Protein backbone atom coordinates (compact mmCIF):
# COMPACT_ATOMS: atom_id res chain seq x y z
CA UNK A 1 0.00 0.00 0.00
CA UNK A 2 1.33 3.45 -0.92
CA UNK A 3 1.68 5.40 2.34
CA UNK A 4 1.40 9.13 2.85
CA UNK A 5 4.73 10.90 3.26
CA UNK A 6 6.22 14.15 4.51
CA UNK A 7 3.39 16.56 5.48
CA UNK A 8 0.68 14.15 4.33
CA UNK A 9 -0.19 15.90 1.06
CA UNK A 10 1.68 13.41 -1.13
CA UNK A 11 2.34 9.66 -1.14
CA UNK A 12 5.69 7.89 -1.13
CA UNK A 13 5.36 7.09 -4.86
CA UNK A 14 4.58 10.70 -5.69
CA UNK A 15 7.62 11.88 -3.75
CA UNK A 16 9.85 9.34 -5.48
CA UNK A 17 8.67 10.45 -8.93
CA UNK A 18 10.10 13.88 -8.12
CA UNK A 19 13.39 12.44 -6.90
CA UNK A 20 16.30 12.64 -9.37
CA UNK A 21 18.09 9.52 -10.60
CA UNK A 22 21.35 9.12 -8.68
CA UNK A 23 22.96 6.65 -11.07
CA UNK A 24 22.70 3.11 -12.44
CA UNK A 25 23.63 -0.38 -11.31
CA UNK A 26 24.17 -3.49 -13.43
CA UNK A 27 22.74 -6.76 -12.19
CA UNK A 28 23.21 -10.33 -13.46
CA UNK A 29 19.83 -12.01 -13.80
CA UNK A 30 19.14 -15.73 -14.21
CA UNK A 31 15.97 -16.78 -16.05
CA UNK A 32 13.84 -19.87 -15.41
CA UNK A 33 15.69 -21.79 -18.13
CA UNK A 34 19.02 -21.02 -16.39
CA UNK A 35 20.11 -18.45 -18.97
CA UNK A 36 21.80 -15.33 -17.65
CA UNK A 37 21.57 -11.76 -18.83
CA UNK A 38 22.75 -8.41 -17.53
CA UNK A 39 20.19 -5.72 -16.77
CA UNK A 40 20.71 -2.06 -15.93
CA UNK A 41 18.78 -0.52 -13.04
CA UNK A 42 18.17 3.17 -12.57
CA UNK A 43 18.63 4.05 -8.90
CA UNK A 44 16.75 6.69 -6.92
CA UNK A 45 16.78 7.22 -3.17
CA UNK A 46 15.29 9.83 -0.91
CA UNK A 47 15.03 10.49 2.83
CA UNK A 48 11.51 11.27 3.98
CA UNK A 49 9.03 10.98 6.80
CA UNK A 50 6.66 8.06 6.19
CA UNK A 51 3.28 8.35 7.90
CA UNK A 52 1.33 5.44 9.44
CA UNK A 53 -2.08 4.45 7.99
CA UNK A 54 -4.71 7.16 8.38
CA UNK A 55 -6.70 5.18 10.93
CA UNK A 56 -3.62 4.62 13.12
CA UNK A 57 -1.92 8.01 13.02
CA UNK A 58 -2.85 8.76 16.65
CA UNK A 59 -1.37 5.47 17.80
CA UNK A 60 1.90 5.33 15.83
CA UNK A 61 4.47 8.04 15.09
CA UNK A 62 5.83 9.16 11.73
CA UNK A 63 9.10 7.42 10.85
CA UNK A 64 12.21 8.94 9.25
CA UNK A 65 13.10 6.41 6.54
CA UNK A 66 14.99 6.15 3.28
CA UNK A 67 13.07 4.96 0.22
CA UNK A 68 15.08 3.31 -2.57
CA UNK A 69 13.65 2.70 -6.03
CA UNK A 70 15.44 0.52 -8.58
CA UNK A 71 13.76 0.45 -12.01
CA UNK A 72 15.02 -1.55 -14.98
CA UNK A 73 15.89 0.51 -18.01
CA UNK A 74 14.33 -0.74 -21.22
CA UNK A 75 11.43 -3.14 -21.71
CA UNK A 76 12.19 -6.89 -21.53
CA UNK A 77 10.07 -9.07 -23.81
CA UNK A 78 9.92 -12.42 -22.00
CA UNK A 79 9.45 -11.35 -18.38
CA UNK A 80 8.21 -8.61 -16.11
CA UNK A 81 10.23 -5.46 -15.76
CA UNK A 82 12.27 -5.29 -12.56
CA UNK A 83 11.00 -2.61 -10.21
CA UNK A 84 12.11 -2.80 -6.59
CA UNK A 85 10.78 -0.45 -3.93
CA UNK A 86 12.68 -0.72 -0.68
CA UNK A 87 12.24 1.14 2.58
CA UNK A 88 15.01 1.11 5.18
CA UNK A 89 16.04 2.84 8.38
CA UNK A 90 19.70 2.14 7.61
CA UNK A 91 21.88 5.06 6.54
CA UNK A 92 21.91 5.74 2.79
CA UNK A 93 24.01 8.79 1.98
CA UNK A 94 25.46 7.83 -1.41
CA UNK A 95 24.79 5.77 -4.52
CA UNK A 96 27.23 3.11 -3.25
CA UNK A 97 25.25 2.71 -0.01
CA UNK A 98 21.98 2.47 -1.95
CA UNK A 99 23.47 -0.25 -4.19
CA UNK A 100 24.71 -2.07 -1.08
CA UNK A 101 21.10 -2.28 0.23
CA UNK A 102 19.91 -3.50 -3.18
CA UNK A 103 22.53 -6.26 -3.18
CA UNK A 104 21.36 -7.32 0.26
CA UNK A 105 17.81 -7.49 -1.05
CA UNK A 106 18.96 -9.55 -4.04
CA UNK A 107 20.03 -12.23 -1.53
CA UNK A 108 16.45 -12.53 -0.20
CA UNK A 109 15.63 -15.58 -2.34
CA UNK A 110 18.62 -17.48 -1.00
CA UNK A 111 17.74 -16.57 2.58
CA UNK A 112 14.15 -17.70 2.09
CA UNK A 113 15.33 -20.97 0.54
CA UNK A 114 17.68 -21.54 3.48
CA UNK A 115 14.77 -21.17 5.92
CA UNK A 116 12.55 -23.36 3.75
CA UNK A 117 15.03 -26.23 4.07
CA UNK A 118 15.22 -25.59 7.82
CA UNK A 119 11.44 -25.78 8.24
CA UNK A 120 10.35 -28.25 5.54
CA UNK A 121 13.49 -30.38 5.23
CA UNK A 122 14.79 -30.55 8.79
CA UNK A 123 11.28 -30.04 10.21
CA UNK A 124 12.65 -28.08 13.14
CA UNK A 125 9.18 -26.89 14.13
CA UNK A 126 8.09 -30.50 14.65
CA UNK A 127 10.99 -31.41 16.94
CA UNK A 128 8.85 -30.86 20.08
CA UNK A 129 11.84 -29.81 22.15
CA UNK A 130 10.72 -28.19 25.38
CA UNK A 131 13.54 -25.76 26.13
CA UNK A 132 15.01 -22.90 24.13
CA UNK A 133 18.56 -24.15 24.74
CA UNK A 134 17.85 -27.54 23.17
CA UNK A 135 16.08 -25.93 20.22
CA UNK A 136 19.04 -23.59 19.64
CA UNK A 137 21.44 -26.55 19.68
CA UNK A 138 19.29 -28.44 17.18
CA UNK A 139 19.02 -25.44 14.85
CA UNK A 140 22.80 -24.91 15.03
CA UNK A 141 23.43 -28.48 13.86
CA UNK A 142 20.74 -28.25 11.18
CA UNK A 143 22.25 -25.02 9.85
CA UNK A 144 25.46 -26.88 9.02
CA UNK A 145 23.48 -29.53 7.13
CA UNK A 146 21.37 -26.91 5.37
CA UNK A 147 24.44 -24.99 4.30
CA UNK A 148 25.87 -28.14 2.70
CA UNK A 149 22.64 -28.88 0.82
CA UNK A 150 22.24 -25.31 -0.36
CA UNK A 151 25.90 -25.02 -1.35
CA UNK A 152 25.82 -28.30 -3.28
CA UNK A 153 22.71 -27.16 -5.15
CA UNK A 154 24.38 -23.90 -6.16
CA UNK A 155 27.85 -25.28 -6.94
CA UNK A 156 26.34 -27.78 -9.36
CA UNK A 157 25.23 -24.82 -11.46
CA UNK A 158 28.27 -22.59 -11.02
CA UNK A 159 31.10 -25.18 -11.21
CA UNK A 160 29.73 -28.38 -12.83
CA UNK A 161 33.17 -29.52 -14.06
CA UNK A 162 34.82 -29.31 -10.64
CA UNK A 163 36.30 -32.34 -8.90
CA UNK A 164 33.66 -34.36 -7.03
CA UNK A 165 35.98 -34.43 -3.99
CA UNK A 166 35.18 -30.73 -3.60
CA UNK A 167 31.80 -31.66 -2.11
CA UNK A 168 31.72 -35.40 -1.43
CA UNK A 169 33.78 -37.95 0.48
CA UNK A 170 35.45 -40.94 -1.15
CA UNK A 171 32.94 -43.27 0.54
CA UNK A 172 30.04 -41.28 -0.90
CA UNK A 173 31.59 -41.38 -4.36
CA UNK A 174 32.06 -45.15 -4.15
CA UNK A 175 28.42 -45.70 -3.16
CA UNK A 176 27.14 -43.36 -5.88
CA UNK A 177 29.17 -45.28 -8.48
CA UNK A 178 27.63 -48.54 -7.30
CA UNK A 179 24.13 -47.03 -7.32
CA UNK A 180 24.62 -45.74 -10.87
CA UNK A 181 25.94 -49.13 -12.05
CA UNK A 182 22.98 -50.93 -10.46
CA UNK A 183 20.51 -48.52 -12.06
CA UNK A 184 21.96 -48.57 -15.58
CA UNK A 185 23.39 -52.08 -15.66
CA UNK A 186 26.74 -50.69 -16.80
CA UNK A 187 29.85 -49.44 -15.09
CA UNK A 188 29.49 -45.90 -13.77
CA UNK A 189 30.88 -43.13 -15.94
CA UNK A 190 30.51 -40.42 -13.29
CA UNK A 191 33.53 -38.13 -13.44
CA UNK A 192 32.61 -34.54 -12.60
CA UNK A 193 30.95 -32.97 -9.59
CA UNK A 194 27.78 -32.39 -11.63
CA UNK A 195 27.57 -36.12 -12.49
CA UNK A 196 27.62 -37.17 -8.85
CA UNK A 197 25.26 -34.44 -7.68
CA UNK A 198 22.84 -35.46 -10.42
CA UNK A 199 22.98 -39.00 -9.06
CA UNK A 200 22.09 -37.67 -5.60
CA UNK A 201 19.23 -35.66 -7.08
CA UNK A 202 17.91 -38.84 -8.76
CA UNK A 203 17.83 -40.50 -5.35
CA UNK A 204 15.60 -37.62 -4.26
CA UNK A 205 13.14 -38.08 -7.12
CA UNK A 206 14.67 -35.86 -9.79
CA UNK A 207 13.76 -37.22 -13.26
CA UNK A 208 16.57 -35.51 -15.23
CA UNK A 209 14.49 -35.10 -18.38
CA UNK A 210 15.88 -33.04 -21.26
CA UNK A 211 13.93 -29.87 -20.47
CA UNK A 212 13.88 -30.14 -16.67
CA UNK A 213 15.45 -27.23 -14.76
CA UNK A 214 18.54 -27.97 -12.63
CA UNK A 215 17.87 -29.93 -9.42
CA UNK A 216 16.56 -27.83 -6.55
CA UNK A 217 17.18 -27.92 -2.84
CA UNK A 218 14.27 -30.23 -2.00
CA UNK A 219 15.35 -33.11 -4.26
CA UNK A 220 18.95 -32.63 -3.10
CA UNK A 221 17.76 -32.82 0.50
CA UNK A 222 15.80 -36.03 -0.14
CA UNK A 223 18.67 -37.52 -2.13
CA UNK A 224 21.22 -36.83 0.61
CA UNK A 225 18.88 -38.38 3.18
CA UNK A 226 18.69 -41.56 1.11
CA UNK A 227 22.43 -41.55 0.51
CA UNK A 228 23.05 -41.20 4.26
CA UNK A 229 20.77 -44.17 4.95
CA UNK A 230 22.57 -46.24 2.29
CA UNK A 231 25.95 -45.25 3.72
CA UNK A 232 24.84 -46.23 7.23
CA UNK A 233 23.58 -49.59 5.99
CA UNK A 234 26.86 -50.16 4.13
CA UNK A 235 28.87 -49.35 7.28
CA UNK A 236 26.80 -51.78 9.33
CA UNK A 237 27.22 -54.49 6.69
CA UNK A 238 31.01 -53.99 6.75
CA UNK A 239 31.05 -54.24 10.53
CA UNK A 240 28.81 -57.25 11.10
CA UNK A 241 28.82 -59.14 7.78
CA UNK A 242 31.80 -58.06 5.71
CA UNK A 243 34.28 -59.35 8.26
Amino acid sequence: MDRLAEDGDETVDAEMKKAPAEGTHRLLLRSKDSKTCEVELQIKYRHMWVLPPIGKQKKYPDLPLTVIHAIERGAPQDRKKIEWKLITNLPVESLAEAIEKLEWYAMRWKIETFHKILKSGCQVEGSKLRTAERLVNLIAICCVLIWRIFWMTMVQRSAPKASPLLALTEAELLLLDEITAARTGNASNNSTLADYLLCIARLGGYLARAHDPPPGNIVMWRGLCRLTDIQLGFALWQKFVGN
Side-chain angles (χ1 to χ4, degrees):
M1 182 177 178
D2 192 15
R3 295 284 176 84
L4 294 174
E6 296 295 281
D7 56 5
D9 292 334
E10 300 241 3
T11 64
V12 171
D13 274 350
E15 291 287 342
M16 290 306 297
K17 285 178 182 178
K18 297 186 292 185
E22 300 292 342
T24 60
H25 174 56
R26 291 190 173 274
L27 183 73
L28 194 63
L29 186 70
R30 186 186 296 272
S31 63
K32 291 183 179 180
D33 55 0
S34 297
K35 294 181 180 178
T36 58
C37 64
E38 191 176 60
V39 298
E40 186 176 33
L41 304 177
Q42 183 184 68
I43 310 299
K44 294 182 177 182
Y45 66 89
R46 185 166 181 175
H47 311 291
M48 67 179 74
W49 287 89
V50 178
L51 281 59
I54 294 176
K56 298 182 180 180
Q57 288 184 357
K58 293 183 178 180
K59 187 175 181 181
Y60 299 104
D62 302 346
L63 296 176
L65 301 170
T66 299
V67 180
I68 305 173
H69 277 193
I71 304 171
E72 183 178 355
R73 303 183 70 176
Q77 310 211 350
D78 56 347
R79 58 175 173 79
K80 288 176 119 183
K81 187 174 184 176
I82 294 177
E83 185 173 356
W84 292 344
K85 299 179 179 179
L86 311 181
I87 298 179
T88 179
N89 61 352
L90 297 171
V92 179
E93 303 296 340
S94 65
L95 176 63
E97 290 185 347
I99 291 174
E100 178 187 49
K101 307 308 181 289
L102 289 172
E103 289 177 341
W104 291 353
Y105 178 74
M107 298 294 290
R108 180 175 61 90
W109 173 81
K110 293 183 179 180
I111 296 170
E112 289 181 354
T113 302
F114 186 91
H115 285 91
K116 180 180 179 180
I117 303 172
L118 181 66
K119 294 177 65 177
S120 302
C122 294
Q123 298 183 355
V124 171
E125 291 180 327
S127 62
K128 298 182 181 180
L129 296 177
R130 296 182 179 272
T131 66
E133 182 182 2
R134 292 177 180 177
L135 186 58
V136 167
N137 291 338
L138 174 63
I139 292 175
I141 294 172
C142 288
C143 281
V144 177
L145 299 174
I146 295 166
W147 174 86
R148 188 188 186 207
I149 295 165
F150 188 71
W151 178 75
M152 289 169 66
T153 304
M154 294 297 104
V155 78
Q156 182 182 23
R157 305 174 189 183
S158 60
K161 302 298 183 182
S163 167
L165 290 172
L166 181 66
L168 300 166
T169 65
E170 291 185 359
E172 288 171 333
L173 298 179
L174 173 64
L175 289 174
L176 289 171
D177 283 337
E178 293 297 328
I179 291 169
T180 300
R183 179 175 58 84
T184 62
N186 300 313
S188 171
N189 59 357
N190 295 330
S191 59
T192 65
L193 177 61
D195 293 332
Y196 284 98
L197 294 182
L198 181 61
C199 185
I200 293 175
R202 284 181 178 275
L203 289 175
Y206 182 67
L207 299 178
R209 295 169 296 194
H211 298 289
D212 283 344
N217 292 280
I218 298 300
V219 294
M220 292 300 295
W221 161 262
R222 293 171 181 163
L224 276 173
C225 285
R226 286 201 62 193
L227 180 60
T228 300
D229 291 340
I230 293 169
Q231 190 172 4
L232 178 60
F234 179 69
L236 291 173
W237 175 84
Q238 280 188 316
K239 182 176 180 179
F240 295 108
V241 180
N243 293 330

